[in-house]
Amino acid sequence: MRVRRAPDVVIRRLPLYLRVLENIDIDKHGPSISSYELGDAAGVTPDQVRKDLSLFGEFGKQGVGYEIDTLRQELRRVLNLDCVIRVAIIGAGSLGIALARYLQGRRRAESNYHLDMVAVFDKDPAKIGLEIDGVRVLPMELLKSKVRELGVRMAVVAVPAASAQEVVDACVDAGIDGILNFAPAKLAVPSHVRLHNSDLSLELMHLAYYLCGAPGENTRTARDSQAEG
Amino acid sequence: MRVRRAPDVVIRRLPLYLRVLENIDIDKHGPSISSYELGDAAGVTPDQVRKDLSLFGEFGKQGVGYEIDTLRQELRRVLNLDCVIRVAIIGAGSLGIALARYLQGRRRAESNYHLDMVAVFDKDPAKIGLEIDGVRVLPMELLKSKVRELGVRMAVVAVPAASAQEVVDACVDAGIDGILNFAPAKLAVPSHVRLHNSDLSLELMHLAYYLCGAPGENTRTARDSQAEG
DNA sequence: TAGATTGTTAATCGATTAACAATC
DNA sequence: TAGATTGTTAATCGATTAACAATC
């Protein structure tokens, strides 16, 4: 029932807010948090916090702030994280394994972590049957049936660039809604599927721009040094 | 000698352009590329390509386009990728190892890849001496001396959130300029150091927003479906 | 009540898109 | 020359910041 669509730049900040709220100990802190505190912890201005949140409802009280429990719950709801989202990882190479372990670790560390990594797929027969933190590696042939069976809604693609498009096609065919791609490739998906990309190599090239001066020296003036990312 | 500082949003697109140029076979394609072609391959409008590039110089020819070789070289120069940048990875857990392999793989796959992963560090004695794709894991105590010795300028931080700040402090102390952090933590660095963050968990929460409807169904209207980076 | 803090409107700032003269 | 395509200026669009009345 949202009237105006929220811009993506706002959506990207919501998980930041949510994380701050997840990490607050209410017993120590008290039940409320102001836009000043929340902004400070998340690295944005209080104005922005209020403007962002106001796009989704009126969650605060004048003179008091936002009730932490309530806001947390609202943000989870907005982000579709109010019930478990099952995630599959495609590719059991070192990156796929690392991502799988990372997600399992987050889930163990954070109660109420609503991303549940339930399966890893690979086409290499040598990888099938491996166990990664309690989850077995399955053959690609089972993707469609297992996605249905387990209720998987998101996929993390960690295969070589050359096979990324075919893997993504298979995910789409299996009915997956959202894909986070780690392969350094430009991929095509139908418009009802959301594709995001995370590319280490692009990130490093981006970062390289901000390195100062020639190797070994530090002569050039530092450019814009706001933290990114 | 840049007159106006280029906005970061532009800088983030340059690696995209550079990658397109790196992947073109000049023998097949011919020596020039238009802003239309380049934009198409990079996923941006031709107008934007021209505007972005014009911030750094006049690289094109009216009626012809941009000479691929020249533009590639210019982009490398702008991004500080015209000579090798040595990178260290901090943390030899599964993510650190995966990132190390990924970088080694890119370097093997792409001639002229100017990011050179030269060292991995860990504080766990059990990890010291391990070899990852030909690079040895060194103890954190050697960070400062090795950074000097090898000319390391960038660090990739892949340690648990709890130790990320101390690791970043050590990197800064060792004279490192640019840091790409994978730990889910908000870190502080002095203003002359550039810190970027890459956070799988935030990415997945961001993506979750765009999942349609309740688990199992697909009822809600798809929202903004432009592909994101 | 007085102080604090929200939600929202208005003002500013910046980025993208459109348009086109210059020119290869 | 005619068609293509650049670099740049102007117009539009969107996001951030500032300000403040409402109110807890």
Side-chain angles (χ1 to χ4, degrees):
Chain A
M1 260 349 158
R2 206 159 294 137
V3 179
R4 223 192 307 177
R5 201 184 66 222
D8 187 69
V9 69
V10 173
I11 305 304
R12 251 183 277 147
R13 285 191 291 263
L14 300 185
L16 232 52
Y17 303 152
L18 181 54
R19 174 173 292 169
V20 171
L21 299 173
E22 303 276 16
N23 288 337
I24 287 182
D25 182 345
I26 291 181
D27 290 338
K28 268 196 218 153
H29 180 277
S32 291
I33 188 169
S34 72
S35 58
Y36 293 81
E37 281 180 280
L38 179 49
D40 200 50
V44 307
T45 64
D47 312 66
Q48 193 140 65
V49 170
R50 293 204 300 279
K51 193 128 219 289
D52 287 352
L53 296 180
S54 75
L55 286 173
F56 304 97
E58 306 192 1
F59 305 134
K61 269 204 180 66
Q62 284 103 323
V64 181
Y66 301 88
E67 200 194 353
I68 293 171
D69 265 336
T70 311
L71 186 57
R72 189 155 47 192
Q73 204 175 326
E74 292 289 352
L75 285 180
R76 282 206 199 113
R77 186 183 52 73
V78 169
L79 286 167
N80 288 318
L81 294 171
D82 48 353
C83 55
V84 167
I85 291 183
R86 294 186 187 83
V87 180
I89 291 182
I90 324 287
S94 56
L95 187 60
I97 292 173
L99 297 172
R101 288 203 181 134
Y102 182 93
L103 279 180
Q104 293 292 67
R106 293 290 296 167
R107 191 159 168 78
R108 269 193 304 272
E110 207 176 288
S111 62
N112 286 323
Y113 194 70
H114 288 295
L115 297 168
D116 193 9
M117 203 278 291
V118 294
V120 178
F121 295 89
D122 203 294
K123 69 175 179 189
D124 179 359
K127 300 273 175 58
I128 313 301
L130 277 179
E131 197 196 288
I132 303 164
D133 273 14
V135 173
R136 285 219 177 272
V137 177
L138 304 172
M140 282 301 285
E141 290 73 31
L142 292 183
L143 181 67
K144 195 164 184 173
S145 63
K146 280 289 172 185
V147 161
R148 295 253 162 109
E149 182 189 326
L150 300 170
V152 171
R153 307 185 59 207
M154 282 181 18
V156 174
V157 173
V159 302
S163 30
Q165 184 63 58
E166 90 188 59
V167 158
V168 161
D169 292 344
C171 289
V172 171
D173 179 58
I176 281 172
D177 252 340
I179 298 173
L180 181 55
N181 167 51
F182 282 85
K186 201 196 163 206
L187 303 176
V189 291
S191 65
H192 69 281
V193 175
R194 184 84 185 182
L195 172 70
H196 287 199
N197 294 287
S198 177
D199 190 320
L200 174 65
S201 192
L202 293 180
E203 297 282 354
L204 287 172
M205 290 194 260
H206 176 201
L207 185 55
Y209 174 82
Y210 295 96
L211 295 184
C212 303
E217 24 162 343
N218 259 359
T219 49
R220 210 154 65 193
T221 316
R223 278 167 282 186
D224 185 358
S225 65
Q226 69 183 350
E228 295 281 330
Chain B
M1 257 353 155
R2 205 159 297 140
V3 178
R4 224 192 305 177
R5 200 185 66 223
D8 187 68
V9 70
V10 173
I11 305 304
R12 252 184 276 147
R13 285 192 291 263
L14 300 185
L16 232 51
Y17 303 152
L18 180 54
R19 174 173 292 169
V20 171
L21 299 173
E22 303 277 16
N23 288 336
I24 286 182
D25 182 344
I26 292 182
D27 291 337
K28 269 196 219 153
H29 180 279
S32 290
I33 188 170
S34 73
S35 58
Y36 292 81
E37 281 180 281
L38 179 48
D40 200 50
V44 306
T45 63
D47 311 66
Q48 193 141 64
V49 170
R50 293 203 300 279
K51 193 131 220 290
D52 287 352
L53 296 180
S54 75
L55 286 173
F56 303 97
E58 307 191 2
F59 305 134
K61 269 203 178 68
Q62 283 102 323
V64 181
Y66 301 88
E67 201 194 352
I68 294 171
D69 265 337
T70 312
L71 186 56
R72 188 156 47 194
Q73 204 175 327
E74 291 289 352
L75 284 180
R76 283 205 198 114
R77 184 183 53 73
V78 169
L79 287 167
N80 288 318
L81 293 171
D82 49 351
C83 55
V84 168
I85 292 184
R86 293 186 188 85
V87 180
I89 291 182
I90 323 289
S94 56
L95 187 59
I97 291 174
L99 296 172
R101 287 204 182 133
Y102 183 93
L103 279 179
Q104 294 290 70
R106 294 289 298 168
R107 192 161 167 78
R108 269 194 304 270
E110 207 176 288
S111 62
N112 286 324
Y113 194 70
H114 288 295
L115 297 168
D116 194 10
M117 204 278 292
V118 295
V120 178
F121 294 89
D122 203 294
K123 70 176 177 185
D124 178 359
K127 300 275 176 55
I128 312 301
L130 277 179
E131 197 195 290
I132 304 165
D133 274 12
V135 173
R136 286 219 175 270
V137 178
L138 304 171
M140 283 300 287
E141 291 72 32
L142 290 183
L143 182 67
K144 194 164 184 173
S145 64
K146 280 289 171 182
V147 161
R148 294 256 160 106
E149 183 189 324
L150 300 169
V152 172
R153 307 185 61 206
M154 279 179 22
V156 175
V157 173
V159 302
S163 30
Q165 183 64 58
E166 92 189 55
V167 158
V168 161
D169 292 346
C171 288
V172 170
D173 179 59
I176 281 171
D177 252 342
I179 297 172
L180 181 55
N181 168 50
F182 282 84
K186 201 195 162 209
L187 304 176
V189 290
S191 65
H192 69 280
V193 174
R194 184 83 185 179
L195 172 71
H196 288 200
N197 294 287
S198 178
D199 190 319
L200 174 64
S201 192
L202 294 180
E203 298 281 355
L204 287 172
M205 291 193 259
H206 176 202
L207 184 56
Y209 174 82
Y210 295 97
L211 295 185
C212 303
E217 23 159 348
N218 259 358
T219 49
R220 212 156 62 195
T221 316
R223 278 168 279 187
D224 184 358
S225 66
Q226 69 182 347
E228 294 280 330

